[in-house]
Amino acid sequence: MPHASHISSYNLFGETEELADVLHVETIRSRSALHDWQLKAHRHARLHQLLFLTEGNGVAEIDGKTQAIPTASFVNIPRGVVHGYDFAPETHGWVVTLTSDLLDHCIQASEGVRAPLERPAILPLPGELGELAEHLFDEYHRQDFARAQVLRSLAGALIALAARAIFEADSANQHRAGNQLFTRFEEMIERDFRTRRPLAGYARDLAISPTHLNRITHQSAGQSASQLINDRMLREARRMLIYTNLTAAQIAYDLGFSDPAHFSRVFTKGTGTPPKLFRKKVSEA
């Protein structure tokens, strides 16, 4: 059952202080063993997280959906995605946490790397990616000369290999990569989806017509621009219904609706279930 007025946002599992380093690397055991191998659902507002599971197994709850994490898997958790874990005892691997600033430093906007990383994913762990995660962990716990530079460089390679694995596993991303306008549009949606901003405003900021924007989104994602904006709002609405005890009306206002009844109609049309019934079904599942 939802039990909070907001979704917990942590910098690290259960922590609220700022990251003191350029990134953070720890074993799965170091934190989860303290909590009976279970980590409650939460999200990171400004952090991107990659989990590498080498021995054992677990279950991830990602945006309200439960997924298995088998041995030799990696998990990609973009900022803002609600997630929790339940690991089998003595599960081994590493958790790498990167600040948004470091991610921006490592990724060139024109190279199409960001789009795959914005999708939560659980995938088989490529051998080279696991080796790189272990190398990053070892370097993180040393104090050698040029440590920060080495960590940034290794993090850049780690991000790139993770993006490649996600890209290759998701054919849809193959159409999105390289389209700078689509990438910029996705970033604008993430920034503005709570404002109920009209499509014309997005198109104007991109210096194109709404018709051209729709053509781009159909080519890149198989959906209209308005659908993508609406889907982002609905995803946040589902998160808030699952993980908070805010009323449907409070959620409506938080998501930029001036009329809760309008929000209810939009949510029902988009999900097939009214908000209150959606929450009831989730709580009974």
Side-chain angles (χ1 to χ4, degrees), residues 9-19 43-47 49 97:
S9 293
Y10 297 143
N11 277 344
L12 295 176
F13 296 129
E15 296 179 351
T16 55
E17 67 265 23
E18 294 294 327
L19 281 176
R43 63 179 169 188
H44 310 294
R46 293 175 295 156
L47 302 174
Q49 203 159 66
T97 305

Side-chain angles (χ1 to χ4, degrees), residues 14-15 27 75 82 92 98 105 116 125 138 177 194 196 210 244 250 279 281:
E15 296 179 351
T27 64
V75 185
V82 181
H92 294 285
L98 311 163
H105 172 82
L125 176 60
D138 291 340
R194 293 179 184 273
R196 303 293 295 162
T244 80
Q250 289 172 318
R279 173 173 275 169
K281 285 183 175 180

Side-chain angles (χ1 to χ4, degrees), residues 126-249:
E128 58 185 353
L129 189 55
E131 291 171 4
L132 189 55
E134 184 174 14
H135 187 179
L136 189 62
F137 174 79
D138 291 340
E139 184 67 33
Y140 180 81
H141 290 279
R142 297 166 64 176
Q143 295 297 326
D144 293 348
F145 177 75
R147 171 180 176 273
Q149 179 62 45
V150 172
L151 289 176
R152 283 192 294 268
S153 299
L154 291 174
L158 191 82
I159 292 165
L161 289 176
R164 177 184 291 173
I166 299 168
F167 177 89
E168 292 176 348
D170 183 359
S171 59
N173 276 321
Q174 296 178 23
H175 300 294
R176 300 182 186 190
N179 191 325
Q180 295 182 41
L181 282 174
F182 183 79
T183 299
R184 287 173 57 195
F185 179 54
E186 286 189 308
E187 293 170 352
M188 291 164 63
I189 291 175
E190 189 63 33
R191 182 191 69 198
D192 297 338
F193 73 90
R194 293 179 184 273
T195 66
R196 303 293 295 162
R197 187 183 187 197
L199 178 61
Y202 288 99
R204 183 175 59 251
D205 283 0
L206 291 168
I208 58 177
S209 69
T211 300
H212 188 191
L213 178 54
N214 272 314
R215 189 179 301 119
I216 289 170
T217 60
H218 273 293
Q219 291 172 347
S220 298
Q223 293 179 282
S224 71
S226 295
Q227 284 177 304
L228 292 173
I229 297 168
N230 199 54
D231 285 351
R232 180 61 185 92
M233 180 278 297
L234 289 173
R235 187 161 73 248
E236 192 69 17
R238 289 193 293 267
R239 288 173 178 169
M240 297 176 79
L241 287 165
I242 294 170
Y243 295 108
T244 80
N245 60 11
L246 294 173
T247 67

Side-chain angles (χ1 to χ4, degrees), residues 74-125:
F74 83 95
V75 185
N76 180 62
I77 301 292
R79 64 183 180 182
V81 172
V82 181
H83 60 288
Y85 297 109
D86 187 353
F87 296 110
E90 303 308 321
T91 291
H92 294 285
W94 306 278
V95 181
V96 179
T97 305
L98 311 163
T99 65
S100 295
D101 288 344
L102 179 58
L103 213 64
D104 291 341
H105 172 82
C106 292
I107 296 175
Q108 296 295 317
S110 62
E111 295 178 346
V113 175
R114 185 176 293 277
L117 291 170
E118 293 299 322
R119 185 174 71 83
I122 300 176
L123 294 172
L125 176 60

